[in-house]
Amino acid sequence: MLISAFAANGIILALAPALLNDTKDMGPFVRAAGLRLPPVQPIYTLNLDETLAAEIGFYTGRRALPADMLAPPAWLLVQDNHHGRPPVPGPDYRLVAQRSFGAGRSLMLWQARGPATAP
C-alpha cells in the first residue's frame, strides 16, 4: 500500500504542472485583446507590470503603456492582482472581456463608451 501511495503521489506531481499551465497562460487572452484594437495603437493598461508588458509585446507586437486616466484611452487592459479592490476605470467604460489566471491574477478588457470608440 505504501508503494502504491508513493506511485500515486509521483504521478500527481508529474502531471500537475501540465494541468496548471493552461490556467496561467495569458497568451490567448492577450492575443485576442490585441486583435480587437486598431492595428497600430499601443495597449494602454492599468496595473502594468513587467510580466504583462512582456506578454503584450510578445503576443501582439505592440507596446504596453500605463494609461493616463486624465486623457482616457478608447481601449484599456486592466490587470487585477487581487490585492484589495480591483481597479475599475469607471462608468465611461464597458467591460468587453475578462479572464482569471489562477488565484492571483485577472485581466479585463474595457472599451470607452461614446463616439470615439471603434467596434
Side-chain angles (χ1 to χ4, degrees), residues 61-102:
R62 300 170 187 242
R63 291 181 304 139
L65 298 175
D68 177 4
M69 295 313 289
L70 296 176
W75 291 89
L76 186 60
L77 185 64
V78 176
Q79 177 174 224
D80 178 15
N81 290 329
H82 306 292
H83 298 302
R85 291 185 54 183
V88 177
D92 294 337
Y93 283 87
R94 70 180 179 89
L95 183 62
V96 175
Q98 76 178 34
R99 172 117 193 264
S100 181
F101 301 95

Side-chain angles (χ1 to χ4, degrees), residues 12 16 32 35 100 106:
I12 289 171
L35 292 174
S100 181
S106 296

Side-chain angles (χ1 to χ4, degrees), residues 11-27:
I11 291 170
I12 289 171
L13 290 174
L15 293 176
L19 295 174
L20 295 176
N21 270 347
D22 190 40
T23 303
K24 295 188 176 189
D25 182 13
M26 293 189 290

